[in-house]
Amino acid sequence: MRKIRWGVISTASIALVEVLPAMQKGDHTQVVAITSRNLEKAQEAARQLGIPKAYGSYAELLADPEIEAVYIPLPNHLHVPWSIKALEAGKHVLCEKPLGLDAGDARRLLEASRRYPRLKVMEAFMYRYHPQWKLAQQLIKNGEIGDLHSIHTFFNYYLPDPANIRNMVDIGGGGLLDVGCYAVSLSRLIFESEPVRTFAAMQLDPQFKTDRLTTGILEFEKGIATFTCATQLFDFQRVNLMGTLGHVELEIPFNPPLDKPSRLSLHNTSGRREFELDICDQFTLQGDLFSKAILEDTPAPTPLEDAVANMVVIDALFQSARTGSWISGLI
């Protein structure tokens, strides 16, 4: 079974701890190189993870003809520039979320991708490929909760470290871009449409100037999604999908554990049902699905246009928080 040969641009912790070990377990993925602007860091990461090649510059990795696809977990402001450079080097691109700093940034990548139609480009929203979301969608389609009218999401963590990139406003830090983007994405996914208007209230950190607490409202034709995301609240995540006859609750919706089954509950007029899903790694699933699309020359699992649409909503939420007004005309 042929595997796609991957290179990784950055030694970011998410790559080293979560994504790369998962991709190394994939049926269609083989991580062959990693790069950092510090060669010693790249060499150490390669040694720890058993990766054959290490480079001391991003350009060196992109020049390697063996590499077919790259995974980009760089800070947010570097996502689009290095995704475009990777395309120019003839590489397929899996770029971490959020795709860019704003919708204009994302559109630049979309436009660039159209110049390389044989290359796949995708935003790495790994949660979408976990079976718990497929089950949730199926329960809704089967009418188990009646008509879906409300989605509510929490996604919080506590990180007051000024040296962390998530607390650096100039490079795309803050809660809305880091974790609020999941709430926007899943609402669009489950309602299968785009919101017609949005509203947000936002609290900025007085030192970092990043949004440390945001609550948003997304109004769809089918219903309303609300969310709270934060970088300075107790660690917590939950999603509730509310219908006329019941609701579905996802206990750990975005980064389910690797050491025990994921749990999803259905509450409706027939009572309560608990579902346990087999342990799996959503990063492995994401890497394999993207690699399989390359091998079979089929569309990427999630089109790049979806990433642009997600950034349009995020832009509107920032605008609403600044102006104190509802923002309409997103569609």
Side-chain angles (χ1 to χ4, degrees):
M1 186 180 298
R2 191 171 102 70
K3 296 187 176 186
I4 294 297
R5 297 182 298 274
W6 285 80
V8 183
I9 298 180
S10 174
T11 53
S13 60
I14 185 175
L16 302 185
V17 176
E18 298 185 72
V19 182
L20 299 190
M23 292 181 68
Q24 288 174 316
K25 295 183 292 186
D27 293 330
H28 303 293
T29 55
Q30 180 184 9
V31 181
V32 300
I34 188 167
T35 183
S36 168
R37 287 173 172 162
N38 181 318
L39 179 58
E40 291 183 357
K41 287 182 65 176
Q43 290 172 333
E44 177 61 18
R47 186 192 64 77
Q48 289 180 0
L49 294 171
I51 298 171
K53 300 180 186 181
Y55 292 107
S57 77
Y58 304 162
E60 283 183 272
L61 182 141
L62 292 180
D64 185 339
E66 183 185 15
I67 294 168
E68 299 170 278
V70 295
Y71 166 62
I72 300 178
L74 291 165
N76 294 341
H77 70 302
L78 298 176
H79 286 178
V80 168
W82 281 100
S83 291
I84 292 175
K85 289 179 186 294
L87 289 172
E88 292 170 345
K91 315 300 185 188
H92 304 275
V93 178
L94 178 64
C95 181
E96 262 306 329
K97 42 56 57 184
L99 192 66
L101 295 179
D102 53 34
D105 212 15
R107 288 191 185 101
R108 283 191 287 278
L109 179 54
L110 176 61
E111 291 165 5
S113 73
R114 288 171 175 166
R115 299 197 295 270
Y116 305 92
R118 74 170 189 86
L119 297 176
K120 319 295 178 189
V121 190
M122 190 175 81
E123 184 178 29
F125 263 127
M126 74 298 178
Y127 83 93
R128 286 191 170 202
Y129 311 110
H130 194 284
Q132 66 178 346
W133 286 99
K134 306 295 183 185
L135 174 57
Q137 289 174 294
Q138 192 58 53
L139 291 172
I140 293 169
K141 290 184 188 302
N142 291 347
E144 294 284 358
I145 64 169
D147 296 326
L148 174 70
H149 286 314
S150 175
I151 299 172
H152 189 66
T153 304
F154 278 103
F155 198 176
N156 309 324
Y157 58 84
Y158 188 74
L159 182 65
D161 179 9
N164 191 284
I165 60 172
R166 292 169 181 82
N167 291 323
M168 298 179 185
V169 67
D170 294 340
I171 63 173
L176 182 53
L177 283 174
D178 190 41
V179 289
C181 61
Y182 286 96
V184 174
S185 174
L186 79 88
S187 300
R188 297 173 46 254
L189 174 70
I190 299 299
F191 274 131
E192 298 181 323
S193 61
E194 302 299 330
V196 296
R197 63 175 187 157
T198 67
F199 183 86
M202 186 176 289
Q203 184 184 86
L204 302 183
D205 183 277
Q207 177 185 353
F208 307 144
K209 308 305 179 185
T210 52
D211 58 295
R212 65 183 182 188
L213 172 62
T214 297
T215 293
I217 306 172
L218 312 179
E219 185 176 333
F220 295 80
E221 291 183 358
K222 297 179 181 179
I224 296 173
T226 58
F227 71 89
T228 293
C229 65
T231 61
Q232 294 180 31
L233 288 180
F234 185 75
D235 289 7
F236 182 72
Q237 56 180 273
R238 190 79 87 241
V239 169
N240 278 279
L241 312 173
M242 310 296 297
T244 54
L245 301 176
H247 79 274
V248 170
E249 183 173 62
L250 290 94
E251 183 178 78
I252 308 178
F254 303 115
N255 51 1
L258 300 178
D259 58 350
K260 60 182 179 180
S262 302
R263 294 193 301 182
L264 178 153
S265 58
L266 168 66
H267 310 250
N268 60 18
T269 53
S270 299
R272 174 188 173 100
R273 292 171 61 192
E274 294 280 351
F275 298 85
E276 282 198 351
L277 294 96
D278 292 339
I279 295 172
C280 68
D281 194 320
Q282 58 194 0
F283 290 110
T284 304
L285 297 174
Q286 174 182 253
D288 266 351
L289 286 169
F290 190 77
S291 294
K292 192 174 180 182
I294 296 171
L295 291 167
E296 298 177 353
D297 195 20
T298 55
T302 301
L304 201 55
E305 288 82 357
D306 181 87
V308 174
N310 214 58
M311 290 306 308
V312 167
V313 179
I314 291 170
D315 282 358
L317 289 163
F318 276 119
Q319 182 182 355
S320 174
R322 287 193 300 268
T323 63
S325 304
W326 283 89
I327 305 301
S328 302
L330 279 69
I331 298 176

